[in-house]
Amino acid sequence: MTEFATQTATDGGIHLLLDGPMTIYNAAEIKARLIQALESAPTLELDLSHVTEMDTAGFQLLALAKKECLARGQTLRIVGHAPSVQEVFDFYHTAAF
C-alpha cells in the first residue's frame, strides 16, 4: 500500500510525498490522488524519494501527471528520485523527462 503525505509548498502548490510501491497493483489509487492534487493547486511537486518499487504502470502515472499539467497550464516537479525510480528512468532512457 502506498502512503501519501501532502504539504503546501512554499509557492502555494502541493508537495506530495509518495511512500511505498508505484505498481499496477495500486495504480488506480495513486491516479486518483494525483488528479485530486492537480485539481487543488497550480503546482504539483512529487517527492519520489520513498518509492520502494516502480513498474511500467508507475511510470505511466508520471507521464499522465505531466500530460495533465501541460494541458492545464500547471507545473509539475518530480523530486527525490529513489533508486527504484531512477532504475526505471534509466531503463526507458527518460532522465530528461
Side-chain angles (χ1 to χ4, degrees), residues 21-94:
M22 285 186 74
T23 65
I24 193 167
Y25 302 108
N26 58 353
E29 172 191 12
I30 295 172
K31 179 182 176 184
R33 189 65 180 95
L34 287 174
I35 297 299
Q36 179 186 28
L38 287 172
E39 292 172 349
S40 301
T43 302
L44 176 59
E45 183 175 271
L46 290 177
D47 185 340
L48 305 180
S49 62
H50 291 82
V51 173
T52 58
E53 179 182 5
M54 181 185 239
D55 64 9
T56 300
F59 180 78
Q60 289 172 329
L61 288 170
L62 296 178
L64 170 72
K66 182 173 183 173
K67 181 180 175 182
E68 285 295 315
C69 280
L70 289 173
R72 297 169 187 235
Q74 295 173 295
T75 302
L76 172 67
R77 287 190 299 265
I78 300 174
V79 299
H81 302 70
S84 58
V85 174
Q86 192 61 51
E87 183 179 309
V88 172
F89 282 8
D90 290 347
F91 180 79
Y92 288 116
H93 304 287
T94 55

